[in-house]
Amino acid sequence: MEDKGTLWLPENASTYAGDVDALFYFIYWVSVVLFILVIGAMVYFAYKYRRRSEADRPQPIKESKLVEASWVVVPTILVAIVFTWGFQVFIKMGVAPPNAYEITVRASKWNWLFEYPNGARSNELHVPVSRPIKLKMSSIDVLHSFFVPAFRTKQDVVPNRYTYVWFEATRQDTFQVMCTEYCGQQHSTMLSQVVVQSQGDFNTWLAENLIDESATPAERGELLYNQQGCFACHSLDGTTGSGPTFQGLSGSQRAFTDGTTATADANYLREAIINPAAQVVQGFAPVMPGQYGTTLTAEEIDALVAYIQEQ
Amino acid sequence: MSAATHSDLSQRPAIHYLNHEKGLWSWLTTVDHKRIGIMYAIVVALFFLVGGIFATLVRVELSAPGETIMGQDSYNQAFTLHAVIMVFLVIIPAVPGILGNFVLPIQIGAKDVAFPRLNLASWYIFMAGAVLAICGWLVVGKVDTGWTFYTPYSSEASDAVLWMTSAVFVAGFASIFTGINFVVTVHKMRAPGMTWNRLPLFVWAIYATAIVQVLATPVIGITMVLLFLEKFMQIGIFDPALGGDPVLFQHFFWFYSHPAVYIMILPAMGIISDLMGTFSRQQVQGYTFIALSSVAIAFLGFLVWGHHMFVAGQSAISSIIFSMLTFLIGIPTGIKVFNWVGTMYKGSVWLQTPMLYALMFLFLFTIGGFTGIMVGVLATDVHLHDTYFVVAHFHYVMMGGALIALIGGMHYWWPKITGKMYNETLGRIAALLVFVGFNLTFFTQFILGSRGMPRRYHDYELLLEQFPEFAPLHFASSIGSWILAAGLFLILFYGIHSLLRGKPASQNPWGAVTLEWTHTTTPPDPHNFHHTPLVTRGPYDFHLADDVFGPFHTGDGAGDGVGEVTEAPKPEEA
Ligand SMILES: [Cu+2]
Ligand SMILES: [Cu+2]
């Protein structure tokens, strides 16, 4: 990436990013000029009218109507300009072109999952270059926010409701996706990438990422474990994260905060995924998202159970 | 204002409000507004120290990529506690609680506030809130929601969050009672001749603030009650799992918290007006405008909460309206800055420590204001929202504005409150450290933010591949925070030194013409005045000062003619 942006702003790579930047720098330069005038006057007065004797008794000055009027009029005009300009660009950023290609985004603690119209899924967002893309976003747990600095766009992702964002990438490259709404422990690692490709490369990628019908349930479970972000809380190597490790989980004896115990058989695992708050494993907080029962199909849950049983 | 009482007022009194009763009990049961002000000062200073320690921990963690001194969980708690303490236990109560209590009644020529007992009750309620918060954190468990307590994260987080929210609920009542007290005091207790257009601008500012406290604080109380109802009765209000609407919580929260921004900044503006007038020895320009616009802002401040939610999922129409209203409020604030600078014009500017803070306020607050425009404009806010740009913006306003003004005000009224002077040289050195440290800490954060660094991130190592500049910027910001901390500790040091060893202060060391300087002894009498003052002139009529002080003969500000001069007046180079 050779384009590193300007001092104040990172590289820009969407069709409306240029508009945002122009407005940013307009406000910036107007502010710099006004700031120098105000603070310059302050420093100059502090020097020019410095106290020369304790007996100084300056006479009150008559306030000039003209000066005062200019204090009101000039800021009002400037503010009217930036408001209107900001409003126009905002509308442009808010209204997706009707032919936009729609991708579904599911945010969860602490994972981004992108679903394409043909059924393909990924944790990195792949999009074709120079084509308007519309993201239809929802969260399965708490608030998150989808932010791509290079595109100058951001939108909160909310449970129980769709929010939308659109953009058109202007060049092929990889850009950072961040979560900008605080969402708990691993908020700062809830990152992803947008991979902007040519339409041809994108089509190939889409075809390759279609669900492989011949895969065994456990293989599909592995894919889901990664895509759905179970890895954010459950390790495979025995280390304890926000949640218990999957290593050796199957068949082990589980103790819960309410004092009961159970053996981790397939039924238990299934229930633990669908309804995690029902029995909370001792030593852990009830932070596992509660919506997997509705966002995953029965087949997918079976696949996850099969995968966990292999660990 | 009669000249007859000057000579006896300038004598240091044998009995004054600090020594007429002794012992801890006399403090804990006092209804004297001056003593209550000092009690606020002590606890607020303690909370400021604790909040500051959390801030320093946060900056140490961020000084280098990767885990530096603490893990994610501790970090999330550190920034939450820093913010909760600084907002609810420091900035909101600070100026009204300390200086409002001490100064306001004297400035209007009253013996006390309208309801002295209620005033003491406010302090105890505030302390009860603080105790709840401390219990929640130390005893019950972790609080890592951020000071905004956004649902649904906060509803599923630990019970300690409920302790924190009940702390906010309880402390809110202290704020409401203080507000009621000041509104009634200003209406009913003014001395003869103290007409509305002779009120010092500090009084106007506290009055406007009091209106916001009374009207806005109940909303945060209601919000916290709704959180309780949801948690214990499973009524779906904010939690989507129960059919509630999480964005509704943000509306409630900001409906209080935006006006709360004015609870924090209006009193600061009042201090600055008084400082600019006194140290320029000139009438504060645009007196009527400053006074009335504060009150107008107090009301308009209720109509702009949605500017915190441009990307939260509210409708585009609401965002547009909120953005427009925000600018309506912004303009008068800008005009105030022009007025303050204009106050120095053809004045006699005396660059003592309080004035250095007033000028620092103008510098920092102006930056805070311009960047406020940047985040108030819809299209640029989309990019800047929830990044370090916003973090830097509100630190320029809340710390560079509210707290710097408070520090300036504390220096200004310190001689009156304690009867002692502080070391002026150390005062200037500390002001310089604070200024340099503050800008290094927070200016770098503007650049971090506009380049994309999100707020509330424990770490940025994974971002360095695409944003290598984050590392040096964070490092510089952390260095700044240490310089800032050094400056603040220096103030603490010479403050204590002044209490123990400071030179006695004269009645009116700055040559101010408001009643707390001209009509009380230093330190003031337990009942403030020997005779109720009769006010015959405005709060900034410095050209009439000789009539007030009598003929001018000794050093600066010691216009009373007898008091010891603590700082030889000398012309300052800018
Ligand atoms: Cu997040
Ligand atoms: Cu606001």
Side-chain angles (χ1 to χ4, degrees), chain A residues 265-285:
Chain A
D265 56 13
N267 273 325
Y268 166 77
L269 293 175
R270 185 171 171 280
E271 189 59 23
I273 298 171
I274 294 174
N275 199 357
Q279 286 175 310
V280 177
V281 182
Q282 249 173 30
F284 294 91

PDB file of all heavy atoms in Angstrom, chain A residues 265-285:
ATOM      1  N   ASP A 265     -22.624 -35.173  27.031  1.00  0.00           N
ATOM      2  CA  ASP A 265     -22.944 -36.005  25.871  1.00  0.00           C
ATOM      3  C   ASP A 265     -23.504 -35.105  24.767  1.00  0.00           C
ATOM      4  O   ASP A 265     -23.568 -33.887  24.912  1.00  0.00           O
ATOM      5  CB  ASP A 265     -23.948 -37.086  26.277  1.00  0.00           C
ATOM      6  CG  ASP A 265     -25.204 -36.488  26.903  1.00  0.00           C
ATOM      7  OD1 ASP A 265     -25.392 -35.246  26.796  1.00  0.00           O
ATOM      8  OD2 ASP A 265     -25.980 -37.240  27.513  1.00  0.00           O
ATOM      9  N   ALA A 266     -23.910 -35.729  23.667  1.00  0.00           N
ATOM     10  CA  ALA A 266     -24.363 -34.936  22.519  1.00  0.00           C
ATOM     11  C   ALA A 266     -25.544 -34.047  22.880  1.00  0.00           C
ATOM     12  O   ALA A 266     -25.613 -32.886  22.475  1.00  0.00           O
ATOM     13  CB  ALA A 266     -24.739 -35.875  21.368  1.00  0.00           C
ATOM     14  N   ASN A 267     -26.491 -34.587  23.677  1.00  0.00           N
ATOM     15  CA  ASN A 267     -27.649 -33.785  24.047  1.00  0.00           C
ATOM     16  C   ASN A 267     -27.263 -32.572  24.864  1.00  0.00           C
ATOM     17  O   ASN A 267     -27.777 -31.473  24.670  1.00  0.00           O
ATOM     18  CB  ASN A 267     -28.636 -34.631  24.855  1.00  0.00           C
ATOM     19  CG  ASN A 267     -29.577 -35.348  23.931  1.00  0.00           C
ATOM     20  OD1 ASN A 267     -29.958 -34.811  22.893  1.00  0.00           O
ATOM     21  ND2 ASN A 267     -29.915 -36.580  24.277  1.00  0.00           N
ATOM     22  N   TYR A 268     -26.323 -32.794  25.790  1.00  0.00           N
ATOM     23  CA  TYR A 268     -25.860 -31.676  26.596  1.00  0.00           C
ATOM     24  C   TYR A 268     -25.222 -30.614  25.712  1.00  0.00           C
ATOM     25  O   TYR A 268     -25.511 -29.411  25.837  1.00  0.00           O
ATOM     26  CB  TYR A 268     -24.858 -32.146  27.659  1.00  0.00           C
ATOM     27  CG  TYR A 268     -24.120 -30.973  28.259  1.00  0.00           C
ATOM     28  CD1 TYR A 268     -24.730 -30.160  29.208  1.00  0.00           C
ATOM     29  CD2 TYR A 268     -22.829 -30.645  27.835  1.00  0.00           C
ATOM     30  CE1 TYR A 268     -24.082 -29.052  29.713  1.00  0.00           C
ATOM     31  CE2 TYR A 268     -22.177 -29.546  28.334  1.00  0.00           C
ATOM     32  CZ  TYR A 268     -22.797 -28.746  29.285  1.00  0.00           C
ATOM     33  OH  TYR A 268     -22.164 -27.642  29.770  1.00  0.00           O
ATOM     34  N   LEU A 269     -24.348 -31.029  24.803  1.00  0.00           N
ATOM     35  CA  LEU A 269     -23.647 -30.067  23.953  1.00  0.00           C
ATOM     36  C   LEU A 269     -24.636 -29.266  23.121  1.00  0.00           C
ATOM     37  O   LEU A 269     -24.511 -28.048  22.955  1.00  0.00           O
ATOM     38  CB  LEU A 269     -22.650 -30.799  23.044  1.00  0.00           C
ATOM     39  CG  LEU A 269     -21.470 -31.451  23.768  1.00  0.00           C
ATOM     40  CD1 LEU A 269     -20.619 -32.259  22.788  1.00  0.00           C
ATOM     41  CD2 LEU A 269     -20.610 -30.398  24.470  1.00  0.00           C
ATOM     42  N   ARG A 270     -25.632 -29.982  22.596  1.00  0.00           N
ATOM     43  CA  ARG A 270     -26.637 -29.321  21.773  1.00  0.00           C
ATOM     44  C   ARG A 270     -27.350 -28.248  22.613  1.00  0.00           C
ATOM     45  O   ARG A 270     -27.491 -27.097  22.190  1.00  0.00           O
ATOM     46  CB  ARG A 270     -27.629 -30.373  21.282  1.00  0.00           C
ATOM     47  CG  ARG A 270     -28.643 -29.844  20.330  1.00  0.00           C
ATOM     48  CD  ARG A 270     -29.458 -30.992  19.726  1.00  0.00           C
ATOM     49  NE  ARG A 270     -30.543 -30.424  18.985  1.00  0.00           N
ATOM     50  CZ  ARG A 270     -31.669 -29.985  19.546  1.00  0.00           C
ATOM     51  NH1 ARG A 270     -31.834 -30.116  20.847  1.00  0.00           N
ATOM     52  NH2 ARG A 270     -32.610 -29.444  18.809  1.00  0.00           N
ATOM     53  N   GLU A 271     -27.771 -28.634  23.796  1.00  0.00           N
ATOM     54  CA  GLU A 271     -28.483 -27.713  24.675  1.00  0.00           C
ATOM     55  C   GLU A 271     -27.595 -26.521  25.062  1.00  0.00           C
ATOM     56  O   GLU A 271     -28.052 -25.373  25.116  1.00  0.00           O
ATOM     57  CB  GLU A 271     -28.941 -28.486  25.920  1.00  0.00           C
ATOM     58  CG  GLU A 271     -29.881 -27.735  26.849  1.00  0.00           C
ATOM     59  CD  GLU A 271     -31.182 -27.274  26.183  1.00  0.00           C
ATOM     60  OE1 GLU A 271     -31.567 -27.893  25.159  1.00  0.00           O
ATOM     61  OE2 GLU A 271     -31.778 -26.294  26.670  1.00  0.00           O
ATOM     62  N   ALA A 272     -26.295 -26.811  25.287  1.00  0.00           N
ATOM     63  CA  ALA A 272     -25.373 -25.749  25.695  1.00  0.00           C
ATOM     64  C   ALA A 272     -25.216 -24.692  24.595  1.00  0.00           C
ATOM     65  O   ALA A 272     -24.949 -23.529  24.877  1.00  0.00           O
ATOM     66  CB  ALA A 272     -24.015 -26.336  26.069  1.00  0.00           C
ATOM     67  N   ILE A 273     -25.364 -25.131  23.347  1.00  0.00           N
ATOM     68  CA  ILE A 273     -25.232 -24.171  22.244  1.00  0.00           C
ATOM     69  C   ILE A 273     -26.534 -23.378  22.068  1.00  0.00           C
ATOM     70  O   ILE A 273     -26.521 -22.155  21.892  1.00  0.00           O
ATOM     71  CB  ILE A 273     -24.878 -24.903  20.932  1.00  0.00           C
ATOM     72  CG1 ILE A 273     -23.530 -25.603  21.077  1.00  0.00           C
ATOM     73  CG2 ILE A 273     -24.856 -23.933  19.758  1.00  0.00           C
ATOM     74  CD1 ILE A 273     -23.191 -26.538  19.925  1.00  0.00           C
ATOM     75  N   ILE A 274     -27.648 -24.081  22.156  1.00  0.00           N
ATOM     76  CA  ILE A 274     -28.936 -23.435  21.896  1.00  0.00           C
ATOM     77  C   ILE A 274     -29.340 -22.527  23.058  1.00  0.00           C
ATOM     78  O   ILE A 274     -29.873 -21.439  22.856  1.00  0.00           O
ATOM     79  CB  ILE A 274     -30.027 -24.503  21.669  1.00  0.00           C
ATOM     80  CG1 ILE A 274     -29.726 -25.260  20.378  1.00  0.00           C
ATOM     81  CG2 ILE A 274     -31.404 -23.868  21.600  1.00  0.00           C
ATOM     82  CD1 ILE A 274     -30.647 -26.416  20.127  1.00  0.00           C
ATOM     83  N   ASN A 275     -29.057 -22.979  24.264  1.00  0.00           N
ATOM     84  CA  ASN A 275     -29.578 -22.271  25.434  1.00  0.00           C
ATOM     85  C   ASN A 275     -28.492 -22.146  26.506  1.00  0.00           C
ATOM     86  O   ASN A 275     -28.592 -22.745  27.568  1.00  0.00           O
ATOM     87  CB  ASN A 275     -30.780 -23.072  25.959  1.00  0.00           C
ATOM     88  CG  ASN A 275     -31.652 -22.212  26.844  1.00  0.00           C
ATOM     89  OD1 ASN A 275     -31.317 -21.046  27.099  1.00  0.00           O
ATOM     90  ND2 ASN A 275     -32.745 -22.778  27.317  1.00  0.00           N
ATOM     91  N   PRO A 276     -27.444 -21.377  26.216  1.00  0.00           N
ATOM     92  CA  PRO A 276     -26.264 -21.393  27.100  1.00  0.00           C
ATOM     93  C   PRO A 276     -26.551 -20.871  28.509  1.00  0.00           C
ATOM     94  O   PRO A 276     -25.872 -21.270  29.449  1.00  0.00           O
ATOM     95  CB  PRO A 276     -25.271 -20.478  26.389  1.00  0.00           C
ATOM     96  CG  PRO A 276     -26.074 -19.682  25.431  1.00  0.00           C
ATOM     97  CD  PRO A 276     -27.274 -20.488  25.077  1.00  0.00           C
ATOM     98  N   ALA A 277     -27.554 -20.019  28.662  1.00  0.00           N
ATOM     99  CA  ALA A 277     -27.774 -19.429  29.983  1.00  0.00           C
ATOM    100  C   ALA A 277     -28.462 -20.403  30.944  1.00  0.00           C
ATOM    101  O   ALA A 277     -28.462 -20.188  32.149  1.00  0.00           O
ATOM    102  CB  ALA A 277     -28.603 -18.149  29.851  1.00  0.00           C
ATOM    103  N   ALA A 278     -29.049 -21.488  30.390  1.00  0.00           N
ATOM    104  CA  ALA A 278     -29.808 -22.409  31.237  1.00  0.00           C
ATOM    105  C   ALA A 278     -28.915 -23.030  32.304  1.00  0.00           C
ATOM    106  O   ALA A 278     -29.277 -23.104  33.476  1.00  0.00           O
ATOM    107  CB  ALA A 278     -30.456 -23.493  30.392  1.00  0.00           C
ATOM    108  N   GLN A 279     -27.745 -23.493  31.898  1.00  0.00           N
ATOM    109  CA  GLN A 279     -26.794 -24.050  32.860  1.00  0.00           C
ATOM    110  C   GLN A 279     -25.447 -23.405  32.588  1.00  0.00           C
ATOM    111  O   GLN A 279     -24.883 -23.573  31.506  1.00  0.00           O
ATOM    112  CB  GLN A 279     -26.675 -25.564  32.672  1.00  0.00           C
ATOM    113  CG  GLN A 279     -27.878 -26.328  33.201  1.00  0.00           C
ATOM    114  CD  GLN A 279     -27.758 -27.794  32.887  1.00  0.00           C
ATOM    115  OE1 GLN A 279     -27.506 -28.170  31.748  1.00  0.00           O
ATOM    116  NE2 GLN A 279     -27.940 -28.636  33.896  1.00  0.00           N
ATOM    117  N   VAL A 280     -24.949 -22.672  33.560  1.00  0.00           N
ATOM    118  CA  VAL A 280     -23.693 -21.954  33.355  1.00  0.00           C
ATOM    119  C   VAL A 280     -22.555 -22.717  34.036  1.00  0.00           C
ATOM    120  O   VAL A 280     -22.637 -23.036  35.225  1.00  0.00           O
ATOM    121  CB  VAL A 280     -23.790 -20.520  33.898  1.00  0.00           C
ATOM    122  CG1 VAL A 280     -22.462 -19.805  33.748  1.00  0.00           C
ATOM    123  CG2 VAL A 280     -24.897 -19.764  33.178  1.00  0.00           C
ATOM    124  N   VAL A 281     -21.528 -23.034  33.254  1.00  0.00           N
ATOM    125  CA  VAL A 281     -20.423 -23.822  33.781  1.00  0.00           C
ATOM    126  C   VAL A 281     -19.706 -23.044  34.885  1.00  0.00           C
ATOM    127  O   VAL A 281     -19.484 -21.841  34.763  1.00  0.00           O
ATOM    128  CB  VAL A 281     -19.425 -24.162  32.660  1.00  0.00           C
ATOM    129  CG1 VAL A 281     -18.282 -25.019  33.187  1.00  0.00           C
ATOM    130  CG2 VAL A 281     -20.138 -24.869  31.531  1.00  0.00           C
ATOM    131  N   GLN A 282     -19.358 -23.763  35.945  1.00  0.00           N
ATOM    132  CA  GLN A 282     -18.696 -23.118  37.080  1.00  0.00           C
ATOM    133  C   GLN A 282     -17.402 -22.427  36.672  1.00  0.00           C
ATOM    134  O   GLN A 282     -16.628 -22.988  35.896  1.00  0.00           O
ATOM    135  CB  GLN A 282     -18.388 -24.154  38.157  1.00  0.00           C
ATOM    136  CG  GLN A 282     -19.239 -23.948  39.389  1.00  0.00           C
ATOM    137  CD  GLN A 282     -19.058 -25.073  40.378  1.00  0.00           C
ATOM    138  OE1 GLN A 282     -17.987 -25.671  40.450  1.00  0.00           O
ATOM    139  NE2 GLN A 282     -20.103 -25.369  41.137  1.00  0.00           N
ATOM    140  N   GLY A 283     -17.179 -21.261  37.204  1.00  0.00           N
ATOM    141  CA  GLY A 283     -15.949 -20.530  36.907  1.00  0.00           C
ATOM    142  C   GLY A 283     -16.068 -19.626  35.693  1.00  0.00           C
ATOM    143  O   GLY A 283     -15.101 -18.983  35.313  1.00  0.00           O
ATOM    144  N   PHE A 284     -17.254 -19.580  35.076  1.00  0.00           N
ATOM    145  CA  PHE A 284     -17.417 -18.739  33.894  1.00  0.00           C
ATOM    146  C   PHE A 284     -18.603 -17.806  34.057  1.00  0.00           C
ATOM    147  O   PHE A 284     -19.546 -18.104  34.794  1.00  0.00           O
ATOM    148  CB  PHE A 284     -17.606 -19.594  32.639  1.00  0.00           C
ATOM    149  CG  PHE A 284     -16.375 -20.395  32.307  1.00  0.00           C
ATOM    150  CD1 PHE A 284     -16.223 -21.680  32.812  1.00  0.00           C
ATOM    151  CD2 PHE A 284     -15.361 -19.843  31.539  1.00  0.00           C
ATOM    152  CE1 PHE A 284     -15.073 -22.409  32.533  1.00  0.00           C
ATOM    153  CE2 PHE A 284     -14.214 -20.568  31.263  1.00  0.00           C
ATOM    154  CZ  PHE A 284     -14.066 -21.850  31.760  1.00  0.00           C
ATOM    155  N   ALA A 285     -18.518 -16.659  33.361  1.00  0.00           N
ATOM    156  CA  ALA A 285     -19.643 -15.721  33.367  1.00  0.00           C
ATOM    157  C   ALA A 285     -20.579 -16.085  32.217  1.00  0.00           C
ATOM    158  O   ALA A 285     -20.129 -16.643  31.210  1.00  0.00           O
ATOM    159  CB  ALA A 285     -19.120 -14.297  33.203  1.00  0.00           C
TER     160      ALA A 285
END
